[in-house]
């Protein structure tokens, strides 16, 4: 703690309780928070829009970055099916440059099932790239077409719960100030760091104190505009040891299986309560034989779901190794279009 020479103590005490970031020439120097002056740690985030060569990551290091968050995926295999083609080279050269490496996923999900599917897609690529399980795994939430605040929050928490099932315990939510205020109940998120994007000189109020602040998307690094952020709590910039994966990585839980028709199923126990009369069938197809028509208001228990033929199906255990199948709504490109009932 220090006090500026010539500044009355009372005035300084007022100033130090103001959340503020001083920007000099577009580069932050320090911020004042909670009654003390703290030096800032910086980190960058990159995608396929950024360079992947070693010189670029060395440039990030010289610009003050201690860590980098690299985009791996977007959506899931049923829809966007995007995997960053530069990810391997970016990870390799970031490590060579001495940066701590973390990862992010660009999110599109509109219900908990979609969210889990996207988490599976994200972690599958992370594991393929030998990601360290101590890395921070970020969900990038910035799609305005999504549902209610409470539903968005539940979906995001379902995403993070699935990520943690795979052994990645450090998670974070990234979004803009306007999205945090309009689309998410921030205080109910299971990720407590919160990475806030706000390109104003003072970040906006989102109801909680953000742990990280993306203050610019235009830091020029070797001619490449780059996102740069401040890490207030050292969530991203504290070293977590070797960048190599553990010698004996935890095994992934068995969360999916493929049936005899080549359809991928996602294991999930739950209850579905019908809002209309729906047919229960012997297969996950509208051409399969009908077992019975289940009445509006009835509930059935299920143990898995899938996307097939333009519908989202659930599987009902019926004993003796048999199952019933019910469509719960329609889908397109891996995204649910409607609900024919309620899940619990």
């Amino acid at each position: 703690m220090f006090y500026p020479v010539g500044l009355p103590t009372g005035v300084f005490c007022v100033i130090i309780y103001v959340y503020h970031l001083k920007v000099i020439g577009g580069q932050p120097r320090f911020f004042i928070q909670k009654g003390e002056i703290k030096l800032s740690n910086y980190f960058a985030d990159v995608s396929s829009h950024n360079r992947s060569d070693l010189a670029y990551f060395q440039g990030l290091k010289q610009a003050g970055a201690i860590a980098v968050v690299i985009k791996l995926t977007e959506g899931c295999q049923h829809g966007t099916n995007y995997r960053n083609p530069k990810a391997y080279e970016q990870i390799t050269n970031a490590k060579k440059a001495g940066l701590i490496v973390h990862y992010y996923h660009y999110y599109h999900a509109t219900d908990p099932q979609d969210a889990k599917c996207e988490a599976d897609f994200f972690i599958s690529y992370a594991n393929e790239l030998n990601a360290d399980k101590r890395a921070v795994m970020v969900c990038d939430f910035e799609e305005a077409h999504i549902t209610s605040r409470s539903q968005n929050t539940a979906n995001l928490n379902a995403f993070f719960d699935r990520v943690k099932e795979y052994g990645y315990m450090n998670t974070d939510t990234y979004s803009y100030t306007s999205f945090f205020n309009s689309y998410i109940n921030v205080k109910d998120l299971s990720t407590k760091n919160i990475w806030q994007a706000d390109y104003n000189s003072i970040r906006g109020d989102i109801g909680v104190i953000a742990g990280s602040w993306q203050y610019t998307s235009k830091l020029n690094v070797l001619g490449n505009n780059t996102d740069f952020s401040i890490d207030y709590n050292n969530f991203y910039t504290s070293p977590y040891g070797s960048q190599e994966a553990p010698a004996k990585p935890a095994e992934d839980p068995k969360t999916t299986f493929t049936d005899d028709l080549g359809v991928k199923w996602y294991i999930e126990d739950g209850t579905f309560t019908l809002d209309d009369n729906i047919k229960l069938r012997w297969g996950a197809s509208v051409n399969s034989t009908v077992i019975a028509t289940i009445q509006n208001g009835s509930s059935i228990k299920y143990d898995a779901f899938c996307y097939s033929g333009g519908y989202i199906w659930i599987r009902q255990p019926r004993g003796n190794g048999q199952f019933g199948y019910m469509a719960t709504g329609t889908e397109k490109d891996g995204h649910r279009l409607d609900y024919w009932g309620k899940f619990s």
Side-chain angles (χ1 to χ4, degrees):
M1 173 72 69
F2 72 92
Y3 294 90
V5 176
L7 182 65
T9 301
V11 174
F12 183 67
C13 288
V14 172
I15 293 174
I16 61 178
Y17 279 93
V18 177
Y19 296 96
H20 178 67
L21 174 73
K22 183 176 181 182
V23 180
I24 302 175
Q27 177 70 16
R29 304 304 184 193
F30 62 84
F31 68 91
I32 301 172
Q33 184 172 11
K34 287 188 175 178
E36 63 178 352
I37 292 181
K38 300 168 67 178
L39 295 178
S40 300
N41 290 327
Y42 307 125
F43 65 97
D45 62 275
V46 302
S47 67
S48 60
H49 297 294
N50 299 99
R51 289 166 50 170
S52 56
D53 57 288
L54 178 58
Y56 173 67
F57 287 96
Q58 290 172 333
L60 294 180
K61 184 85 169 178
Q62 292 171 359
I66 296 173
V68 63
V69 187
I70 298 174
K71 180 177 180 177
L72 294 190
T73 50
E74 181 172 339
C76 70
Q77 64 269 32
H78 300 295
T80 309
N81 196 29
Y82 175 82
R83 306 204 313 177
N84 177 6
K86 293 184 179 179
Y88 177 79
E89 186 177 6
Q90 288 176 332
I91 293 166
T92 299
N93 286 325
K95 291 178 180 179
K96 287 181 179 178
L99 296 169
I100 302 168
V101 178
H102 307 287
Y103 308 96
Y104 80 89
H105 169 82
Y106 191 99
Y107 174 93
H108 287 274
T110 56
D111 63 44
Q113 294 174 340
D114 281 351
K116 292 175 183 179
C117 180
E118 292 200 15
D120 291 338
F121 185 57
F122 178 36
I123 297 305
S124 175
Y125 197 29
N127 288 343
E128 184 178 322
L129 294 168
N130 205 32
D132 193 300
K133 294 199 172 176
R134 293 165 294 181
V136 180
M137 309 302 279
V138 182
C139 184
D140 178 356
F141 179 97
E142 49 183 297
E143 287 293 320
H145 66 266
I146 317 213
T147 56
S148 68
R149 293 178 67 153
S150 59
Q151 187 62 62
N152 291 334
T153 306
N155 297 344
L156 285 165
N157 286 337
F159 176 92
F160 293 122
D161 287 346
R162 182 72 107 195
V163 168
K164 290 176 181 178
E165 287 180 20
Y166 288 100
Y168 295 90
M169 306 308 293
N170 298 315
T171 58
D172 201 4
T173 306
Y174 166 93
S175 196
Y176 295 99
T177 298
S178 59
F179 276 67
F180 278 125
N181 286 329
S182 299
Y183 300 111
I184 307 173
N185 293 324
V186 185
K187 293 181 180 179
D188 295 330
L189 287 171
S190 62
T191 56
K192 301 306 181 185
N193 180 71
I194 305 301
W195 181 10
Q196 178 183 359
D198 193 323
Y199 303 150
N200 296 301
S201 59
I202 298 177
R203 68 188 187 276
D205 181 16
I206 58 171
V208 300
I209 299 172
S212 306
W213 178 10
Q214 185 188 88
Y215 65 90
T216 184
S217 61
K218 296 182 179 180
L219 187 73
N220 191 319
V221 179
L222 301 181
N224 193 196
N225 284 338
T226 304
D227 297 341
F228 239 60
S229 298
I230 302 163
D231 189 18
Y232 295 151
N233 299 326
N234 300 325
F235 191 61
Y236 292 90
T237 54
S238 290
Y240 58 71
S242 169
Q243 291 284 333
E244 301 302 321
K248 294 182 179 180
E251 293 184 1
D252 293 341
K254 293 182 178 179
T255 57
T256 65
F257 64 91
T258 302
D259 64 20
D260 293 339
L261 299 177
V263 176
K264 187 173 185 178
W265 287 81
Y266 298 86
I267 295 174
E268 176 181 87
D269 291 322
T271 301
F272 179 68
T273 302
L274 287 66
D275 286 342
D276 202 348
N277 300 338
I278 306 176
K279 292 180 172 59
L280 183 69
R281 301 175 182 273
W282 284 116
S285 168
V286 293
N287 297 319
S288 295
T289 303
V290 175
I291 300 172
T293 298
I294 309 302
Q295 299 300 303
N296 177 14
S298 302
S299 297
I300 69 168
K301 294 187 180 297
Y302 66 95
D303 66 357
F305 69 92
C306 77
Y307 300 77
S308 181
Y311 299 91
I312 302 176
W313 297 84
I314 55 175
R315 187 180 77 164
Q316 177 204 43
R318 295 181 63 82
N320 298 320
Q322 293 184 315
F323 299 92
Y325 300 84
M326 177 179 286
T328 63
T330 56
E331 62 90 18
K332 182 178 180 181
D333 297 329
H335 297 293
R336 179 182 286 277
L337 300 179
D338 51 25
Y339 289 86
W340 297 351
K342 299 178 179 63
F343 289 93
S344 61

